[in-house]
Amino acid sequence: MDRFLRVWALVALAGMCAGAQDACEQGAEAARQRDFARAQTLLERCRGERPSLESLLLLAAVYQAGKQTEALYDLALEGMQRFPAEPRFYLAVAGEDGRAGRFAHAIEVLNQALLRWPVEPKLQSLLANAHFGEGRALLNAEKAEAALPHLRKAVKLEPADVEAQLNLGRALHNSHQRVEALEIFEALSKRTPAVL
């Protein structure tokens, strides 16, 4: 009887391992067939049992297709921890942080990413946008001096961004650095055609 229970336990364990493998493989297949509801169920099970980079990326695509932004954000945060060499997780987290106005966290995530990929233009562009967003929010909250470093960084990363330069000029003016503010406004007026 004891031997029978051991054999049964081994068979059950093998079945559970095969089931986990099946969930990942079946989830991937369902995603490829665009059966997103089934893919989500299977890939979420796979995520809980033995997630791989491929299964997390497929689940992220399913969440994105279903416009499940919170689930995608949580998955991307997990992906950054599990697979830090995958840039798409950093982009997803920073992009959602920017849309939600969490600019400080976006800046933190993008700075981590730029340590790995220092010349990636998309990361630099997102970082400029995050600094601009944080700077503008601080400026609108009447914290001009706190806004200055963010707006300077935004202009440094995206020198052609007129809106960032205008806000930098505003922040300089509001923090009583009017000579530099005037220089920025004059340079912009020379570059920007007059509106009739």
Side-chain angles (χ1 to χ4, degrees), residues 80-101:
M80 282 174 51
Q81 296 301 313
R82 288 183 183 270
F83 303 102
E86 175 50 61
R88 287 174 280 191
F89 293 128
Y90 295 84
L91 290 169
V93 169
E96 184 55 32
D97 279 337
R99 280 186 287 281

Side-chain angles (χ1 to χ4, degrees), residues 6-7 15-17 21 87 93 99 152 165 169 182 184 189:
R6 280 198 305 270
V7 170
M16 285 170 49
C17 292
Q21 184 177 13
V93 169
R99 280 186 287 281
R152 285 188 194 282
Q165 291 181 33
L182 187 59
I184 288 174
S189 69

